[in-house]
Amino acid sequence: MNYRRWPVVAAAGFVFAAVVYVLAVLTRTGQTIENAALRGVDQDDVSETDAAWAALGQITVYSLAAAVLAVALVGVLRKRWDLTVAAVSVIVAGQLVVQVLKRFVLPRPALVEVTGDYAHNSLPSGHTTIAMTVLFAAVIVVPWKWRGVMLFFVLPWATAIGQYTLTAKWHRLSDTLAADGIALAVAALASLWLQRKGSLQVYDGPRRVGRVVLVVFWSLVAAVSLVLGVILWGVPLARQGLDADEWVVYLGAGSFASAGSLIAALTFLACWRRIG
């Protein structure tokens, strides 16, 4: 089997993150739209904001350590040290990359007049990276026959975190999208390492119907979210320009955030199809 997909996916993830940064952070239009989306959050229902804060508040150093231990435990129980190292490395490396980029590498020039939290750089999102790398690590380490069960529980959570970061006003859309791309790239590089070690085994058993239904469902959700985001941004921005309704801009950003996380997740799943 040809595994040249991994370098391609890794490169695509990093390039996507770079393009998002350039368009959203290094342009006046990008900063204006994203700031409008953040202001639009103020019109959201308080219960939605509280739910977002509660979900994000559960991601702590301790919960991250627990996730790493859980992933490692699965690999140890399978006696697959190679998968264990790769899966844990995805989570750890993902955080190292995004924290270095956010804190030391990527500047946020003052292209529009803002004050307070709107002025500092928050790209890429650490919380989104945690959610996505935990999902990717689980895909790597969980056996093929149990992967569908894992996806049922972890995929909705990982996807929701990206949108929650917007609802809680912790991050901008670009932060979440860049994190999706970086997490995907890091996971692809770990998969490439496994492939070069000869650790990837092809599963030739029967198709899991439940998993197929699950993937098709989330693919439809991703498509709908993407189209909805295009409509919510395209129509008002075309008619009103940068003066478009901030609530609508926020709703569009949320749709794009969900679509971005789902597309990244489904891309990695497609690469790991029938690999156990």
Side-chain angles (χ1 to χ4, degrees), residues 17 76 93 104 123 145 154-155 181 202 206 209 221 243 246 251 257 271:
V76 170
F104 306 110
L123 183 150
K145 63 180 179 180
V154 182
L155 182 56
V202 178
V209 177
V221 173
D243 294 323
E246 294 173 347
L251 292 178
C271 292

Side-chain angles (χ1 to χ4, degrees), residues 57-80:
Q58 294 175 358
I59 300 179
T60 64
V61 173
Y62 302 106
S63 62
L64 178 59
V68 171
L69 289 175
V71 165
L73 180 61
V74 174
V76 170
L77 291 177
R78 292 186 65 187
K79 298 180 179 180
R80 292 294 306 273

